[in-house]
Protein backbone atom coordinates (compact mmCIF):
# COMPACT_ATOMS: atom_id res chain seq x y z
CA UNK A 1 0.00 0.00 0.00
CA UNK A 2 1.16 3.54 -0.72
CA UNK A 3 -0.28 6.15 1.59
CA UNK A 4 -0.50 9.67 0.17
CA UNK A 5 -3.09 11.17 2.48
CA UNK A 6 -0.97 12.53 5.35
CA UNK A 7 -3.05 15.71 5.61
CA UNK A 8 -6.02 13.54 6.63
CA UNK A 9 -4.04 11.77 9.32
CA UNK A 10 -0.66 10.17 10.00
CA UNK A 11 0.23 6.76 11.43
CA UNK A 12 1.26 6.56 15.09
CA UNK A 13 5.02 7.15 15.30
CA UNK A 14 7.62 5.54 17.57
CA UNK A 15 7.83 8.60 19.84
CA UNK A 16 4.10 8.56 20.49
CA UNK A 17 4.08 4.79 21.09
CA UNK A 18 6.87 4.99 23.67
CA UNK A 19 5.22 7.78 25.64
CA UNK A 20 1.78 6.13 25.52
CA UNK A 21 3.30 2.87 26.81
CA UNK A 22 4.82 4.83 29.73
CA UNK A 23 1.40 6.29 30.48
CA UNK A 24 -0.23 2.85 30.76
CA UNK A 25 1.09 2.56 34.31
CA UNK A 26 0.12 6.11 35.27
CA UNK A 27 -3.60 5.60 35.56
CA UNK A 28 -4.18 8.04 38.40
CA UNK A 29 -6.36 11.14 38.07
CA UNK A 30 -3.98 14.13 37.80
CA UNK A 31 -6.35 16.16 40.01
CA UNK A 32 -5.95 13.68 42.92
CA UNK A 33 -3.50 14.68 45.61
CA UNK A 34 -2.30 11.12 46.44
CA UNK A 35 0.78 9.51 44.95
CA UNK A 36 -1.03 7.95 41.94
CA UNK A 37 -2.55 11.29 41.08
CA UNK A 38 0.73 13.15 41.50
CA UNK A 39 2.49 10.71 39.15
CA UNK A 40 -0.14 11.30 36.49
CA UNK A 41 0.22 15.06 37.04
CA UNK A 42 3.99 14.75 36.57
CA UNK A 43 3.44 13.10 33.20
CA UNK A 44 0.89 15.74 32.25
CA UNK A 45 3.37 18.51 33.13
CA UNK A 46 6.20 16.79 31.26
CA UNK A 47 3.94 16.43 28.21
CA UNK A 48 2.89 20.06 28.36
CA UNK A 49 6.54 21.10 28.47
CA UNK A 50 7.46 18.99 25.43
CA UNK A 51 4.66 20.44 23.32
CA UNK A 52 5.40 23.98 24.52
CA UNK A 53 9.03 23.49 23.52
CA UNK A 54 8.07 22.31 20.03
CA UNK A 55 5.89 25.36 19.42
CA UNK A 56 8.15 27.76 21.33
CA UNK A 57 5.58 28.96 23.88
CA UNK A 58 5.22 28.90 27.67
CA UNK A 59 3.79 25.60 29.04
CA UNK A 60 0.94 27.38 30.84
CA UNK A 61 -0.22 28.82 27.48
CA UNK A 62 -1.25 25.31 26.42
CA UNK A 63 -4.83 24.12 26.92
CA UNK A 64 -5.33 20.49 25.94
CA UNK A 65 -8.46 19.69 23.93
CA UNK A 66 -9.94 16.72 22.08
CA UNK A 67 -8.26 17.84 18.84
CA UNK A 68 -7.92 20.68 16.36
CA UNK A 69 -11.68 21.02 15.90
CA UNK A 70 -12.27 21.61 19.60
CA UNK A 71 -9.33 24.00 19.77
CA UNK A 72 -10.94 26.06 16.99
CA UNK A 73 -14.27 25.85 18.80
CA UNK A 74 -12.73 27.09 22.06
CA UNK A 75 -11.01 30.01 20.32
CA UNK A 76 -14.08 31.21 18.44
CA UNK A 77 -16.86 30.38 20.89
CA UNK A 78 -14.74 31.31 23.90
CA UNK A 79 -14.36 34.83 22.54
CA UNK A 80 -17.90 35.04 21.14
CA UNK A 81 -19.37 34.09 24.52
CA UNK A 82 -17.09 36.50 26.35
CA UNK A 83 -18.05 39.47 24.15
CA UNK A 84 -21.71 38.46 23.82
CA UNK A 85 -24.17 40.13 21.40
CA UNK A 86 -22.41 42.29 18.83
CA UNK A 87 -19.30 40.06 18.69
CA UNK A 88 -17.55 40.59 15.34
CA UNK A 89 -15.33 37.99 13.71
CA UNK A 90 -13.34 38.36 10.50
CA UNK A 91 -12.32 35.15 8.76
CA UNK A 92 -11.75 33.69 5.29
CA UNK A 93 -13.93 31.69 2.92
CA UNK A 94 -11.53 28.75 2.91
CA UNK A 95 -11.23 27.78 6.58
CA UNK A 96 -11.56 24.21 7.84
CA UNK A 97 -15.17 23.11 8.44
CA UNK A 98 -14.61 23.25 12.22
CA UNK A 99 -14.39 27.04 11.83
CA UNK A 100 -16.74 27.48 8.88
CA UNK A 101 -19.61 25.49 10.37
CA UNK A 102 -19.44 27.36 13.67
CA UNK A 103 -20.10 30.75 12.07
CA UNK A 104 -23.90 30.33 11.65
CA UNK A 105 -24.12 29.55 15.38
CA UNK A 106 -22.16 32.69 16.21
CA UNK A 107 -24.60 34.67 14.04
CA UNK A 108 -27.55 33.00 15.75
CA UNK A 109 -26.15 34.23 19.08
CA UNK A 110 -26.11 37.81 17.78
CA UNK A 111 -22.59 37.88 16.39
CA UNK A 112 -21.51 39.33 13.04
CA UNK A 113 -19.26 37.59 10.54
CA UNK A 114 -17.27 39.18 7.73
CA UNK A 115 -14.96 37.52 5.21
CA UNK A 116 -11.67 38.16 3.49
CA UNK A 117 -11.77 36.79 -0.05
CA UNK A 118 -9.09 34.64 -1.68
CA UNK A 119 -7.85 34.88 -5.26
CA UNK A 120 -7.57 32.07 -7.82
CA UNK A 121 -4.41 30.85 -6.12
CA UNK A 122 -6.16 30.60 -2.74
CA UNK A 123 -4.27 33.58 -1.33
CA UNK A 124 -5.68 36.56 0.59
CA UNK A 125 -4.74 40.20 0.18
CA UNK A 126 -3.15 42.05 3.09
CA UNK A 127 -4.55 45.38 1.86
CA UNK A 128 -8.08 43.94 1.92
CA UNK A 129 -7.39 42.65 5.42
CA UNK A 130 -6.16 46.07 6.54
CA UNK A 131 -9.23 47.78 5.07
CA UNK A 132 -11.59 45.26 6.71
CA UNK A 133 -9.83 45.61 10.05
CA UNK A 134 -10.49 49.36 9.97
CA UNK A 135 -14.03 49.17 8.57
CA UNK A 136 -15.41 46.15 10.41
CA UNK A 137 -13.34 46.54 13.57
CA UNK A 138 -13.50 42.84 14.55
CA UNK A 139 -12.96 41.49 18.07
CA UNK A 140 -11.37 38.38 16.58
CA UNK A 141 -9.63 37.54 13.31
CA UNK A 142 -9.43 33.83 12.51
CA UNK A 143 -7.23 32.86 9.55
CA UNK A 144 -5.65 29.47 9.04
CA UNK A 145 -1.89 28.95 8.74
CA UNK A 146 -2.01 26.43 5.90
CA UNK A 147 -4.98 25.18 3.96
CA UNK A 148 -5.66 21.47 4.45
CA UNK A 149 -6.89 20.99 0.86
CA UNK A 150 -4.46 23.07 -1.21
CA UNK A 151 -1.56 23.55 1.21
CA UNK A 152 -1.58 27.31 0.51
CA UNK A 153 0.02 29.24 3.37
CA UNK A 154 -1.35 32.59 4.55
CA UNK A 155 1.22 35.28 5.54
CA UNK A 156 0.73 34.76 9.28
CA UNK A 157 3.49 37.10 10.61
CA UNK A 158 2.11 40.00 8.50
CA UNK A 159 -1.45 39.22 9.55
CA UNK A 160 -0.38 39.13 13.22
CA UNK A 161 1.27 42.53 12.84
CA UNK A 162 -1.81 44.07 11.19
CA UNK A 163 -4.08 42.64 13.90
CA UNK A 164 -1.78 43.98 16.60
CA UNK A 165 -1.82 47.44 15.00
CA UNK A 166 -5.61 47.42 14.83
CA UNK A 167 -6.13 45.98 18.32
CA UNK A 168 -7.81 42.80 17.08
CA UNK A 169 -7.22 39.41 18.64
CA UNK A 170 -5.71 36.95 16.15
CA UNK A 171 -6.42 33.22 16.05
CA UNK A 172 -4.74 30.88 13.59
CA UNK A 173 -5.66 27.27 12.92
CA UNK A 174 -2.13 25.87 12.60
CA UNK A 175 -3.19 22.21 12.45
CA UNK A 176 -1.60 21.76 9.00
CA UNK A 177 1.36 24.01 9.82
CA UNK A 178 2.60 22.06 12.85
CA UNK A 179 5.53 19.86 11.89
CA UNK A 180 5.61 21.27 8.35
CA UNK A 181 6.55 24.91 8.94
CA UNK A 182 8.89 26.50 11.45
CA UNK A 183 6.77 27.25 14.51
CA UNK A 184 8.07 30.86 14.57
CA UNK A 185 5.87 31.39 11.51
CA UNK A 186 2.56 30.94 13.34
CA UNK A 187 3.29 31.45 17.02
CA UNK A 188 2.91 35.23 16.75
CA UNK A 189 -0.88 34.74 16.89
CA UNK A 190 -2.65 35.24 20.23
CA UNK A 191 -4.47 31.92 19.82
CA UNK A 192 -3.10 28.90 17.94
CA UNK A 193 -4.88 25.57 17.29
CA UNK A 194 -2.83 22.39 16.90
CA UNK A 195 -3.61 18.67 16.69
CA UNK A 196 -1.59 15.52 17.48
CA UNK A 197 -2.70 13.20 14.69
CA UNK A 198 -1.15 15.29 11.92
CA UNK A 199 2.31 14.84 13.47
CA UNK A 200 2.33 11.07 14.04
CA UNK A 201 0.52 11.36 17.37
CA UNK A 202 -2.84 9.85 18.38
CA UNK A 203 -6.23 11.03 17.17
CA UNK A 204 -8.60 12.80 19.55
CA UNK A 205 -6.10 15.12 21.20
CA UNK A 206 -4.93 18.62 20.40
CA UNK A 207 -4.43 21.98 22.04
CA UNK A 208 -5.32 25.62 21.91
CA UNK A 209 -2.39 27.85 22.70
CA UNK A 210 -3.70 30.85 24.58
CA UNK A 211 -1.00 33.48 24.96
CA UNK A 212 -0.64 35.10 28.37
CA UNK A 213 -2.98 38.10 28.67
CA UNK A 214 -5.54 36.75 26.17
CA UNK A 215 -8.92 36.32 27.80
CA UNK A 216 -11.55 33.78 26.77
CA UNK A 217 -14.40 32.05 28.54
CA UNK A 218 -14.33 28.26 28.82
CA UNK A 219 -16.68 26.23 26.66
CA UNK A 220 -16.32 23.00 28.72
CA UNK A 221 -17.17 23.05 32.44
CA UNK A 222 -16.81 20.50 35.20
CA UNK A 223 -13.54 21.05 36.99
CA UNK A 224 -10.57 23.34 37.41
CA UNK A 225 -8.47 21.44 34.88
CA UNK A 226 -6.29 23.38 32.42
CA UNK A 227 -6.41 26.38 34.79
CA UNK A 228 -10.22 26.48 34.41
CA UNK A 229 -9.97 26.94 30.67
CA UNK A 230 -11.18 23.42 29.78
CA UNK A 231 -12.98 21.33 32.36
CA UNK A 232 -12.87 17.53 32.29
CA UNK A 233 -10.37 14.87 33.37
CA UNK A 234 -7.40 15.04 31.03
CA UNK A 235 -6.83 12.44 28.29
CA UNK A 236 -3.48 11.36 29.72
CA UNK A 237 -2.77 8.61 27.17
CA UNK A 238 -3.53 10.93 24.26
CA UNK A 239 -1.63 13.86 25.73
CA UNK A 240 1.41 11.67 26.41
CA UNK A 241 1.22 10.42 22.81
CA UNK A 242 1.06 14.02 21.57
CA UNK A 243 4.16 14.86 23.63
CA UNK A 244 6.00 11.78 22.32
CA UNK A 245 5.25 12.86 18.75
CA UNK A 246 6.43 16.40 19.57
CA UNK A 247 9.65 15.11 21.07
CA UNK A 248 10.29 12.86 18.08
CA UNK A 249 9.86 15.85 15.78
CA UNK A 250 12.31 17.90 17.84
CA UNK A 251 14.96 15.20 17.83
CA UNK A 252 14.61 14.41 14.12
CA UNK A 253 16.99 16.02 11.62
CA UNK A 254 14.52 18.65 10.61
CA UNK A 255 11.17 19.84 11.91
CA UNK A 256 10.16 20.81 8.41
CA UNK A 257 9.75 18.59 5.34
CA UNK A 258 11.64 19.15 2.11
CA UNK A 259 9.43 20.02 -0.88
CA UNK A 260 11.58 17.80 -3.12
CA UNK A 261 9.14 14.84 -3.24
CA UNK A 262 6.13 17.07 -3.97
CA UNK A 263 7.97 19.03 -6.67
CA UNK A 264 9.24 15.84 -8.30
CA UNK A 265 5.70 14.43 -8.33
CA UNK A 266 4.16 17.59 -9.82
CA UNK A 267 6.81 17.99 -12.51
CA UNK A 268 6.54 14.30 -13.53
CA UNK A 269 2.79 14.70 -14.02
CA UNK A 270 3.19 18.00 -15.85
CA UNK A 271 5.75 16.53 -18.25
CA UNK A 272 3.46 13.62 -19.12
CA UNK A 273 -0.09 14.96 -19.04
CA UNK A 274 -1.94 17.90 -20.59
CA UNK A 275 -5.01 19.41 -18.98
CA UNK A 276 -3.79 19.36 -15.38
CA UNK A 277 -3.54 22.28 -12.97
CA UNK A 278 -1.89 22.46 -9.55
CA UNK A 279 -3.97 24.63 -7.20
CA UNK A 280 -2.06 27.42 -5.48
CA UNK A 281 1.11 26.68 -7.48
CA UNK A 282 2.24 30.31 -7.49
CA UNK A 283 1.80 30.81 -3.75
CA UNK A 284 3.81 29.62 -0.76
CA UNK A 285 2.55 26.15 0.16
CA UNK A 286 3.33 23.62 2.87
CA UNK A 287 5.95 21.31 1.37
CA UNK A 288 3.94 18.07 1.30
CA UNK A 289 0.69 18.93 -0.47
CA UNK A 290 -0.42 18.87 -4.12
CA UNK A 291 -4.01 19.58 -5.05
CA UNK A 292 -4.38 18.82 -8.73
CA UNK A 293 -7.21 19.16 -11.21
CA UNK A 294 -7.25 16.52 -13.95
CA UNK A 295 -9.53 17.80 -16.68
CA UNK A 296 -12.32 15.36 -17.56
CA UNK A 297 -11.67 12.99 -14.61
CA UNK A 298 -14.18 13.06 -11.74
CA UNK A 299 -12.20 12.86 -8.50
CA UNK A 300 -14.06 9.77 -7.25
CA UNK A 301 -13.16 7.87 -10.44
CA UNK A 302 -9.42 8.51 -10.00
CA UNK A 303 -9.69 7.89 -6.26
CA UNK A 304 -11.37 4.52 -6.88
CA UNK A 305 -8.89 3.47 -9.57
CA UNK A 306 -5.93 4.29 -7.31
CA UNK A 307 -7.55 2.63 -4.32
CA UNK A 308 -7.74 -0.62 -6.32
CA UNK A 309 -3.97 -0.26 -6.86
CA UNK A 310 -3.46 0.17 -3.10
CA UNK A 311 -2.80 3.91 -3.31
CA UNK A 312 -4.60 6.15 -0.80
CA UNK A 313 -5.31 9.76 -1.78
CA UNK A 314 -8.13 12.18 -1.07
CA UNK A 315 -10.76 14.00 -3.12
CA UNK A 316 -11.02 17.71 -2.54
CA UNK A 317 -14.70 17.28 -1.87
CA UNK A 318 -16.71 16.07 1.06
CA UNK A 319 -19.19 13.27 0.74
CA UNK A 320 -22.36 14.33 2.49
CA UNK A 321 -25.67 12.47 2.52
CA UNK A 322 -24.66 10.23 -0.34
CA UNK A 323 -23.80 13.03 -2.75
CA UNK A 324 -20.38 14.49 -3.46
CA UNK A 325 -20.47 18.20 -2.81
CA UNK A 326 -17.67 20.27 -4.30
CA UNK A 327 -15.12 21.73 -1.92
CA UNK A 328 -15.95 25.22 -0.57
CA UNK A 329 -12.22 25.98 -0.72
CA UNK A 330 -11.99 25.36 -4.47
CA UNK A 331 -15.31 27.10 -5.22
CA UNK A 332 -14.10 30.18 -3.37
CA UNK A 333 -10.90 30.10 -5.43
CA UNK A 334 -13.10 30.56 -8.49
CA UNK A 335 -13.36 27.00 -9.83
CA UNK A 336 -16.83 26.02 -11.03
CA UNK A 337 -18.58 22.94 -9.62
CA UNK A 338 -17.36 20.61 -12.36
CA UNK A 339 -13.78 21.85 -12.14
CA UNK A 340 -13.82 21.49 -8.35
CA UNK A 341 -15.06 17.91 -8.70
CA UNK A 342 -12.03 17.11 -10.87
CA UNK A 343 -9.52 17.94 -8.10
CA UNK A 344 -7.71 15.44 -5.92
CA UNK A 345 -5.20 15.89 -3.11
CA UNK A 346 -1.92 14.06 -2.68
CA UNK A 347 -0.22 14.69 0.65
CA UNK A 348 3.14 13.16 1.43
CA UNK A 349 4.86 12.26 4.69
CA UNK A 350 7.49 10.14 6.42
CA UNK A 351 7.05 6.96 4.41
CA UNK A 352 6.93 8.71 1.04
CA UNK A 353 10.07 7.54 -0.71
CA UNK A 354 11.01 8.79 -4.15
CA UNK A 355 10.31 5.28 -5.45
CA UNK A 356 6.77 5.32 -4.02
CA UNK A 357 6.12 8.80 -5.42
CA UNK A 358 7.36 7.69 -8.85
CA UNK A 359 5.01 4.70 -8.72
CA UNK A 360 2.03 6.90 -7.81
CA UNK A 361 2.91 9.33 -10.64
CA UNK A 362 3.12 6.53 -13.22
CA UNK A 363 -0.18 5.01 -12.05
CA UNK A 364 -1.90 8.40 -12.18
CA UNK A 365 -0.58 9.05 -15.69
CA UNK A 366 -1.77 5.62 -16.86
CA UNK A 367 -5.26 5.92 -15.33
CA UNK A 368 -5.84 9.51 -16.45
CA UNK A 369 -4.77 8.62 -20.02
CA UNK A 370 -6.97 5.49 -20.02
CA UNK A 371 -10.08 7.24 -18.71
CA UNK A 372 -9.67 10.14 -21.12
CA UNK A 373 -9.19 7.79 -24.09
CA UNK A 374 -12.29 5.82 -23.10
CA UNK A 375 -14.39 8.98 -22.82
CA UNK A 376 -12.77 10.68 -25.85
CA UNK A 377 -12.05 13.69 -23.62
CA UNK A 378 -10.81 16.76 -25.50
CA UNK A 379 -7.99 18.05 -23.33
CA UNK A 380 -7.01 21.70 -23.02
CA UNK A 381 -3.24 22.20 -22.97
CA UNK A 382 -1.76 23.46 -19.69
C1 LIG B 1 -6.76 22.82 8.97
C2 LIG B 1 -7.41 21.87 9.92
N1 LIG B 1 -8.02 22.37 11.00
C3 LIG B 1 -8.62 21.57 11.90
C4 LIG B 1 -8.64 20.21 11.73
C5 LIG B 1 -9.34 19.36 12.74
O1 LIG B 1 -8.44 18.69 13.57
P1 LIG B 1 -8.92 17.40 14.37
O2 LIG B 1 -9.07 16.30 13.36
O3 LIG B 1 -7.83 17.13 15.35
O4 LIG B 1 -10.20 17.75 15.03
C6 LIG B 1 -8.04 19.65 10.60
C7 LIG B 1 -8.11 18.20 10.36
O5 LIG B 1 -8.17 17.74 9.22
C8 LIG B 1 -7.40 20.50 9.66
O6 LIG B 1 -6.81 20.02 8.58
Amino acid sequence: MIYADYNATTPLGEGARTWIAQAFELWGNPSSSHRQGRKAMELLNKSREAIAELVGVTPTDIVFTSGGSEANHLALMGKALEVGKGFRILTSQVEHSSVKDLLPLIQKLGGEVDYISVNGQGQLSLSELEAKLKLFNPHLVSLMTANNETGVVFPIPDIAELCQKNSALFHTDAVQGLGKLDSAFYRSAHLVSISAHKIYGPKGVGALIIKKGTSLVATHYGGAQEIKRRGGTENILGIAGFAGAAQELMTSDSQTISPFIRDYFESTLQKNLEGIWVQGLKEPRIPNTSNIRFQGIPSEVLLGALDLEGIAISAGSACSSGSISPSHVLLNMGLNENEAKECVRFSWGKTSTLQAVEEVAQKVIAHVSRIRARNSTKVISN
Side-chain angles (χ1 to χ4, degrees), residues 209-232:
I209 293 158
I210 306 179
K211 293 280 182 60
K212 196 165 182 240
T214 307
S215 68
L216 283 185
V217 300
T219 53
H220 277 63
Y221 292 85
Q225 292 93 350
E226 301 298 295
I227 326 179
K228 293 193 175 165
R229 294 167 299 183
R230 202 270 191 182

Side-chain angles (χ1 to χ4, degrees), residues 149-306:
E149 291 188 30
T150 61
V152 170
V153 172
F154 282 162
I156 300 303
D158 299 327
I159 297 171
E161 206 182 306
L162 280 177
C163 289
Q164 196 76 37
K165 248 192 351 206
N166 289 278
S167 311
L169 206 62
F170 176 36
H171 164 247
T172 189
D173 170 353
V175 167
Q176 295 291 349
L178 186 71
K180 298 175 189 139
L181 299 170
D182 192 314
S183 58
F185 185 78
Y186 48 81
R187 70 165 170 254
S188 46
H190 300 102
L191 298 159
V192 181
S193 300
I194 53 176
S195 176
H197 74 106
K198 312 291 183 179
I199 61 159
Y200 307 89
K203 286 163 245 313
V205 60
L208 179 68
I209 293 158
I210 306 179
K211 293 280 182 60
K212 196 165 182 240
T214 307
S215 68
L216 283 185
V217 300
T219 53
H220 277 63
Y221 292 85
Q225 292 93 350
E226 301 298 295
I227 326 179
K228 293 193 175 165
R229 294 167 299 183
R230 202 270 191 182
T233 304
E234 299 86 347
N235 169 11
I236 294 289
L237 289 183
I239 291 168
F242 192 2
Q247 201 188 49
E248 192 179 342
L249 255 178
M250 285 187 284
T251 49
S252 63
D253 292 347
S254 167
Q255 286 182 42
T256 56
I257 316 167
S258 155
F260 178 76
I261 292 259
R262 176 201 67 189
D263 294 347
Y264 176 81
F265 178 70
E266 291 177 0
S267 66
T268 307
L269 293 185
Q270 272 160 336
K271 272 184 224 149
N272 289 281
L273 288 171
E274 293 287 353
I276 72 165
W277 294 272
V278 178
Q279 309 306 324
L281 183 66
K282 296 186 186 136
E283 289 299 325
R285 287 180 295 156
I286 40 174
N288 76 322
T289 308
S290 302
N291 187 307
I292 306 179
R293 179 182 160 221
F294 296 91
Q295 192 210 329
I297 316 281
S299 58
E300 71 275 15
V301 173
L302 187 56
L303 206 95
L306 293 177

Side-chain angles (χ1 to χ4, degrees), residues 18 22 88 106 117 126 168 174 176 187 282 311 320 361 380:
T18 309
Q22 253 187 56
R88 287 182 303 278
I106 288 177
S117 58
L126 286 172
Q176 295 291 349
R187 70 165 170 254
K282 296 186 186 136
I311 298 170
S320 57
I380 306 167

Side-chain angles (χ1 to χ4, degrees), residues 77-88 139-140 215 217:
M77 286 309 288
K79 200 65 205 172
L81 291 171
E82 189 193 63
V83 174
K85 218 165 179 284
F87 169 68
R88 287 182 303 278
H139 297 95
L140 181 67
S215 68
V217 300

Side-chain angles (χ1 to χ4, degrees), residues 7-8 67-70 72 96 98 144 146 148 173 175-176 195 197-198 205:
N7 282 11
S69 301
E70 190 196 318
N72 286 341
H96 185 261
S98 55
M144 69 203 310
N148 45 303
D173 170 353
V175 167
Q176 295 291 349
S195 176
H197 74 106
K198 312 291 183 179
V205 60

